[in-house]
Amino acid sequence: MARLTIPPQELVHPGHAACPGCGAALAMRLLLKGLGSRTVVSVPACCWTVIATPYPTTALGVALLDNPIESTGASISGIRAAVDALGLPDVTVVGFAGDGGTADIGLQALSGMLERRTNAIYVMYDNEAYMNTGIQRSGATPEGAWTTTTPVIGVGRGKPERKKDIMAIVLAHRPVYAATLNPSFPEDFVRKVETARGIPGPRFFHIFAPCPPGWRFTSEATIEIGRLATDTGVFPLYEVEDGRLRITRRLSSLKPVEEYLSRQGRYGHLTGAERERIQAQVREGWERLRREESVGPPPGPVRPGVAATSGPEPATVDSG
Amino acid sequence: MAQIVMSGNHAQSYAAMLARVQVIAAYPITPQTTIVEKLAEFVADGRLPAHYLQVESEHSALQSVVSASALGARTYTATSSQGLLLMHELLHWAAGLRVPVVMGVVNRAVAPPWSIGADYSDTIAQRDTGWIQFYAESNQEVLDTVLQCYRIAEDPAVRLPAMVTEDAFYLSHTVEPVDVPSSELVDAFLPAREARAVLVPGVPARLGSFTGPVEYVGFRHDVARAMDRVLPTLAAVEEDFARRTGRDHGGPLPTYRTEDADAVLVTMGTATTTARAVVDRLREEGHRVGLAKLRLFRPFPVEALRSLAASVDRIGVLDRSFTFGPTGAAAAEVRSALYAGSARPLVADFVAGIGGRDITPDLIARMYAVLDGPEPPDVTWMDLAAPEARADG
Amino acid sequence: MIEIRFHGRGGQGAVVASELLAQAAFLDGKHPQSFPFFGVERRGAPVTAFCRLDDRAVRLRTSITRPDIVVVLEPGLLRAGGVMDGLPPGGLLLVNSRDDPARLPAPPEVRRASVDATAIAVAHGLGTPMLPIVNTAVLGALAAASGAVRLDALERAIDRFVPARPAQNRAAARDGFGAVRLAPAEVAVRAPPVRAGRTLRAGLELPDGPLAVVSSATIATSAWRTMRPEIDLGRCTRCNFCWKFCPDDAIELNAEGYPVVRLEHCKGCGICAVECPPGTIAMVAEG
């Protein structure tokens, strides 16, 4: 029997209401494998509001708090303060938000949480559009992708603008740890979760979450498409700790982006020229990442530390 | 018990400290700022061992204390005007999650145009969110009511959020002597929160959830029922508070010289103090007038108003805001409460003091005069004219 | 007024079917009303849509609880329960099924019709074999079985309102019209069943607020599935890839390390079959 390469514990219960082949469902499952049961998760309006199943049921084996779409960052600051005040420093606090709830409407609260050094993990699971409401464009939708609000009809050619670079925005706040994670690489995924769990301070995960209905592919292809995203350079895997960037899946050569695009109906309308432009952008992004890896951390203090919550105890430095 | 000359804002801060709040969220807005500044001092000098969250908006301020309260912590935040409006979404969350957040609100006008004057438009616009609403008349009442609110809000029969409001500048920046109870007294009156139905780390549960219509109706109805239990809870809490401190603020609708009164003015907040003096003057002149203070706006003291109405011919209501309906909000609520009662006195609305206009004794006397006149209009805007040069009073 | 209730899976086109029927009926001179069940939609999860057709403006804005016609886009849903709710004696049940309509599981007083819309949809290249879009074929069958709408109106509606492959969809509707099979009610009349209905728990306190503590494992999601994984354990290397990548936590490993599919929770996404390195997992159509 093969050794298990990821923890056996299951903190996402079956019976949940994700679409078949949902990348976001697998993301939560792998995340909680790495975090364990003493975790509190705050979830804004997003696919996971529904996936977690209606009252009186819950799909998580951990404590779960609902919050409105734009305030996940503030919610986890409050939860952190509460568990510290209640003398439960071993608890891991997680915000688990979609790309719209993070990169668009939730950006202010995310920035606030990072800036005030909340000791918590903020997760953006990125299915690259407002999927819970039915595939509307978000700031994280990639250029060229079809959505219901960037239709391919008449002059419409999918989303005209480029995807918002959430990692750059987050890194400008100097988190203690930030990483890109992809459920198609479960071992790398869980290792990053376990690494981050041991570092107190504001942490951020950008998780790739393929969406069969929204990206127009059949449900069995979720893992393959995730793998292609990384191996074409569309979604490189890396981590940034103390300002040091490290690519965690090294590629001697990138696969052609076309292998990734051609698997998804949302890109079906793209012309050769449009595909070449995307290829050029992906190559440029990959080269920039490799340069940043070789340059090393920027000068100056990179880890301002954990939020100095005033209180009877010194600022809490937890293990999770 | 020590007497300290302090502002209404500092009365909020002292009350939060005495309540031993565990999590505070702060975002500045005039004229609330001195509340959170004083709390920052208390936290920094060690008098208040609380976690003080510096948030980036009022929306996040309320979200963070709602989440902290959902985990069982005792929490406090404060805001005013635009900040309260930005919190609106979270006000519903606090009530729906049944978290006993207590918040100080300094009543201030809503822009545009910008104004920082006293005005109830901000809190009146939140009356339908499931929060308990107290309107304070004095700095003492601010401090005492915040303490009472923690008891009421955290009561297992209630578990609803509560706001204690004070008039911009008339209380927020007015200093007057305040009895500050000892921490021993407050600890005995207000023990640590016994959290019920909260999230416990390590225990799988989802707070918030989503529901079908059947459960949704049930949860809304539960909030309504909990609101119904506020009045008896307030009575018990106030009795206990009076026993310990000797101070009784008179329940949801304290009255003044209403016995044998023909006309009664219903007031809120600081205008009440001025109106009391006017009642004395008019009584000396032989007018049979009285007043009733709407101390509690949510839940609305329907029964107390009905028993008042049983012996009164005319009721005037002073509205320090206007809601662009048939009358101002307070008058509309008074009428609605009395419509199904056995006595239906005439109810006339007086809009006054909005945007920080002074509510002078003369202005209040004129309200009584209109109320006593041949045909009091439904709504009278009392202070449209610029103030006269001479001193009122 | 005719009240029609559609049952399908998210992604199959039940809501579109209801709307398309409304458009067709409008072209036919009727006053239609169509709306989906106001809930969350998930691909593969059961969905409901409602359509009313009348000669004058419809004056009801409520769900359809006493339908004249129930249309089922996916035979597996007949197992899920609730589909037949409120269908009165003499009502019509139309199911996308290969089966003889007389064999459809329905109360004996109900008229039954079946059409193999899946085969028609696949033949015309509508949707994918795992999730064929059967709505136009079913609507053709509905036109034939009920007369609620005329076929030519349906075809005109498809031309106007179906953006993708209108010609194939029109052909599917025509095929459905021709292929429907009917079975009469077995019993002419029986007293309509009295339904208890869901009554609001009057005065019931939910003292804990919206705090949910029941595991979702109590919810079966097997009805979402059209295909099921079958593992050839003889060739299984116990690499546990299928377990690792299952988004639904529907595969567990037994004491020997072999995967066991929890069929009550498997949604049939097919990831395990694709990811299995030795290819020992096959996706098999549900019967």
Side-chain angles (χ1 to χ4, degrees), chain B residues 96 159 196-197 199 205-208 214-215 217-219 221-222 225 229, chain C residues 37 40 198-213:
Chain B
R159 292 190 302 117
R196 262 189 58 180
L199 287 175
R206 178 183 185 184
L207 183 59
V214 174
E215 288 83 3
V217 173
F219 287 124
H221 185 241
D222 284 352
R225 294 268 303 255
R229 291 191 289 261
Chain C
F37 173 76
V40 289
R198 293 181 80 182
T199 51
L200 186 64
R201 296 154 298 174
L204 175 71
E205 289 287 307
L206 303 165
D208 286 343
L211 187 71
V213 296

Side-chain angles (χ1 to χ4, degrees), chain B residues 48-260:
Chain B
L48 175 57
H51 294 259
Y52 189 97
L53 290 168
Q54 313 265 7
V55 289
E56 76 294 339
S57 76
E58 287 92 353
H59 193 277
S60 284
L62 191 51
Q63 174 67 71
S64 57
V65 292
V66 163
S67 292
S69 194
L71 270 288
R74 182 174 286 166
T75 64
Y76 179 82
T77 189
T79 191
S80 177
S81 183
Q82 312 295 130
L84 185 64
L85 302 188
L86 186 58
M87 286 179 174
H88 178 77
E89 180 186 30
L90 265 307
L91 295 173
H92 287 278
W93 274 83
L97 291 175
R98 307 290 299 275
V99 291
V101 170
V102 174
M103 172 159 68
V105 181
V106 184
N107 283 116
R108 171 191 142 178
V110 166
W114 289 111
S115 163
I116 55 170
D119 188 307
Y120 296 162
S121 299
D122 51 1
T123 51
I124 287 295
Q126 317 307 328
R127 70 191 143 148
D128 301 334
T129 56
W131 281 60
I132 299 164
Q133 280 196 345
F134 281 95
Y135 289 74
E137 179 190 347
S138 68
N139 294 352
Q140 186 70 59
E141 195 181 339
V142 168
L143 186 143
D144 293 349
T145 306
V146 169
L147 293 175
Q148 292 175 359
C149 270
Y150 279 105
R151 271 278 296 271
I152 298 165
E154 292 173 6
D155 191 293
V158 176
R159 292 190 302 117
L160 287 175
M163 60 177 78
V164 179
T165 80
E166 39 155 336
D167 295 358
F169 302 104
Y170 292 102
L171 287 187
S172 69
H173 287 64
T174 298
V175 297
E176 58 190 24
V178 175
D179 275 335
V180 180
S182 68
S183 54
E184 293 73 28
L185 187 154
V186 175
D187 288 347
F189 168 75
L190 179 66
R193 176 180 170 196
E194 253 183 78
R196 262 189 58 180
V198 294
L199 287 175
V200 177
V203 178
R206 178 183 185 184
L207 183 59
S209 200
F210 82 94
T211 65
V214 174
E215 288 83 3
Y216 189 84
V217 173
F219 287 124
R220 298 302 280 188
H221 185 241
D222 284 352
V223 171
R225 294 268 303 255
M227 198 55 99
D228 288 343
R229 291 191 289 261
V230 168
L231 282 169
T233 308
L234 167 64
V237 167
E238 194 148 50
E239 190 186 329
D240 184 35
F241 191 81
R243 193 170 52 78
R244 295 173 192 276
T245 64
R247 284 193 300 279
D248 186 334
H249 294 286
L253 188 79
T255 54
Y256 184 68
R257 301 187 79 167
T258 52
E259 69 292 348
D260 81 349

Side-chain angles (χ1 to χ4, degrees), chain A residues 9 31-39 90-92 119 121 177 190-201 203 205 318-320:
Chain A
Q9 65 179 337
L31 176 77
L32 292 181
K33 278 178 180 292
L35 293 181
S37 61
R38 287 191 65 77
T39 300
D90 65 315
V91 171
T92 302
N119 180 15
I121 299 172
Y177 183 86
V190 173
R191 184 195 62 75
K192 285 169 176 166
V193 173
E194 288 172 341
T195 301
R197 183 167 173 252
I199 307 172
R203 291 148 284 172
F205 295 154
D318 69 50
S319 59

Side-chain angles (χ1 to χ4, degrees), chain A residues 151-225:
Chain A
V152 178
I153 184 171
V155 296
R157 301 290 308 155
K159 186 185 174 191
E161 302 87 5
R162 290 186 66 175
K163 182 181 175 76
K164 193 183 283 193
D165 187 349
I166 190 67
M167 283 295 277
I169 294 169
V170 166
L171 290 172
H173 293 76
R174 290 168 298 186
V176 291
Y177 183 86
T180 59
L181 293 77
N182 184 338
S184 295
F185 302 90
E187 291 78 13
D188 178 80
F189 188 117
V190 173
R191 184 195 62 75
K192 285 169 176 166
V193 173
E194 288 172 341
T195 301
R197 183 167 173 252
I199 307 172
R203 291 148 284 172
F204 183 84
F205 295 154
H206 179 188
I207 302 184
F208 194 69
C211 172
W215 296 6
R216 297 296 192 236
F217 66 85
T218 46
S219 58
E220 77 281 359
T222 293
I223 305 302
E224 290 178 290
I225 284 173

Side-chain angles (χ1 to χ4, degrees), chain A residues 1 6-7 20 26 41 69 72 141 147 152 157 163 182 196 220-221 229 251-252 260 274 284 287 292 304 315:
Chain A
M1 174 178 14
I6 57 173
L26 187 54
V41 185
I69 188 166
T72 306
T141 302
T147 69
V152 178
R157 301 290 308 155
K163 182 181 175 76
N182 184 338
E220 77 281 359
L251 304 164
S252 48
Y260 172 73
E274 287 167 333
E284 181 196 311
E287 292 307 327
E292 282 171 22

Side-chain angles (χ1 to χ4, degrees), chain A residues 116-127:
Chain A
R116 66 184 159 259
R117 315 305 290 170
T118 292
N119 180 15
I121 299 172
Y122 191 111
V123 175
M124 170 171 124
Y125 70 95
D126 190 0
N127 49 31

